[in-house]
Structure formats: structure tokens, C-alpha cells
Amino acid sequence: MELTFGKAQVYTSERMKKHPALAKAFNAIIGYTNVGNYARFTVFKKLLKQISLSENAKVLDLGTGYGEYAISLASALPSSQIHALDVDAERINTVNRAITQSGLQNMNTHNCFTEELEETNFDFVYSVDVFEHIHPKEMPFKAVMERLKSGGYFIVKIPNVTQRTIFPEKYFEEHHDWLEDEHIGQVYDLHGLEKRFEQEGFEIVHASYSDGWLSRLAWELAYLGKKVSTITQLLTLPIAKGLIHLDRLFHHNKWGNAIQVIGKKK
């Protein structure tokens, strides 16, 4: 499976949609521009190697956002059924437009909560950096379990409850204020997330840390570059991407700013 990322950004980015021809040329040369999302995808791509996913799998992207992972999977697995769910109607509308413009025939979208989803018998459900926005009591582990096939897999990737930074904290005060409001579910370390999976009846298949020091440096450079200007954002982009790939090669599974667990329905 050849999984690529970010090609649909020209259809989902408000800035790029204003200049479509220029956006496509920019995307072909520079690639995906959001360093945080790019880093998440590199982890997601590695996690997929831990599960058995058939070419005609039925998959649910839980909290799809702008559909980047779902569109990537739908493109790589044309015989699959990819379902993308989000509670934000505006984002689902954006995903629907991207599906049409991408010419994909194997994607469906759902604007609802997981508990309201009528589709069942999924081979694979995943949620990448979504559960931190949900109160722990409302995290839809039970709803996912009910909609998975026996032997189906569930991936959750979220930020570690403990975060480490490189540059002084004062440079990121605005971001930290946003986190305090948004990340009500950022309460687990790796052991805690494993325990939650087990309590919900899943068998643990894989558990790991990601986003070590090099990945953190990449994010901080990109964040500070974007705050200065568009030019500095573009200048830091290739450096940040390079650091992310180095992090994936050399990071040891002892600590990380992100954690991920794969559970299996027994």
C-alpha cells in the first residue's frame, strides 16, 4: 500500500482554494504545509504496519477534520470502503467537496456522533489527535467496540499528558492558552491509555511513544516561523520535515510528547 499525504490540501485550505492553479504548483514543489499534521501522518503510516489491513477493508476515520487521512487511505485502497465522521458540519462539507474534486468513489461521510452512526462491521477504526478534545467520560470507546467486527482494530493517538519543550515556554503562551480550553481529554500517559483500552474490553496489540526531541524542535521552529511571516514559515518547512523524519528514525520508545495504542476486538 503506497500511502501519500496532503494532496487534498489544495481543496481544503481556504488560502489555497483562492488560487487553485498556484496552489497545485506549490503543493507539487513544497508539499503539505502544516507541520503538525504532517508529523501525525508519519506516525499513522508506521502504525498501519502493525495491523493486518486488507485491500477491501471497511474503515472509519473518527474525527476526520478535513479528511486528510481518509482521503489518503481511499486513494491507496480503491477497493476499500472509507467512512469519515466528524461532528463539525462545516468540515464535513469541505471533505465532501474534496472527495468530488479528487474523483474518489469509495468514501462516505457522516456528520454525527459515533453513538449515532448506523454503519457497523468495521475492520478498522482510527482516531488521530481527536480524543484530547473529548472529556474522558464521553470518549466513544464503547461505540467503537459495538461497530467493530470481531478481530477488528482500533487506533487512538493523542498527546501525552506530560509535554516537554525546547525553547522557553513564554514563546508559546498563546498556544498553551488554547490547549487549556481545547484539550480537556489530554489526561493519559501511555500506561493510562493502555489501561483505558483494557477496561473497555480491547486486547492491546501495540503501545508506543512518538514525537521525541527532534519532532518537538520541528514543531517549535514551524510555529515560531509562522508567527513571524509567511516567508519564514516556508523557510522553516523543509527543515522541520527533515527533523520529523530523523525523529522517526532515531527516537527511542522510552518517552514522547505523543502516545498511541492499538486495540483489537476479541
Side-chain angles (χ1 to χ4, degrees), residues 7-8 11 71 75 97-105:
K7 290 184 177 180
Y11 307 127
I71 289 170
S75 300
R97 288 193 294 270
I99 291 171
T100 300
Q101 291 172 296
S102 300
L104 295 169
Q105 302 296 318

Side-chain angles (χ1 to χ4, degrees), residues 6-79:
K7 290 184 177 180
Q9 189 183 25
V10 296
Y11 307 127
T12 59
S13 167
E14 291 300 323
R15 186 188 300 180
M16 287 187 171
K17 283 190 291 185
K18 293 176 182 177
H19 308 282
L22 182 61
K24 287 183 179 181
F26 181 88
N27 185 265
I29 298 168
I30 303 295
Y32 193 75
T33 60
N34 186 303
V35 168
N37 285 350
Y38 182 82
R40 294 180 190 106
F41 178 75
T42 62
V43 175
F44 179 67
K45 193 172 180 178
K46 290 184 70 173
L47 289 173
L48 287 181
K49 296 177 181 179
Q50 303 292 326
I51 66 174
S52 300
L53 189 62
S54 67
E55 292 185 358
N56 60 347
K58 186 175 182 181
V59 178
L60 174 62
D61 181 349
L62 194 58
T64 193
Y66 292 114
E68 290 152 330
Y69 302 97
I71 289 170
S72 294
L73 277 174
S75 300
L77 298 171
S79 298

Side-chain angles (χ1 to χ4, degrees), residues 185-233:
Q186 188 177 332
V187 298
Y188 293 116
D189 59 12
L190 185 58
H191 176 70
L193 186 58
E194 287 182 89
K195 187 176 179 181
R196 179 67 187 268
F197 264 81
E198 290 172 338
Q199 289 173 343
E200 299 288 351
F202 289 94
E203 174 188 349
I204 303 296
V205 173
H206 172 87
S208 62
Y209 296 98
S210 62
D211 296 336
W213 289 116
L214 291 173
S215 187
R216 179 66 195 188
L217 178 59
W219 183 87
E220 291 187 6
L221 288 174
Y223 177 84
L224 296 173
K226 186 177 181 179
K227 287 192 73 172
V228 174
S229 70
T230 301
I231 297 298
T232 52
Q233 179 188 7

Side-chain angles (χ1 to χ4, degrees), residues 146-163:
E146 292 171 347
R147 286 159 179 78
L148 273 174
K149 287 181 180 178
S150 179
Y153 296 95
F154 183 32
I155 290 178
V156 173
K157 177 190 176 300
I158 57 173
N160 194 344
V161 65
T162 303
Q163 296 286 297

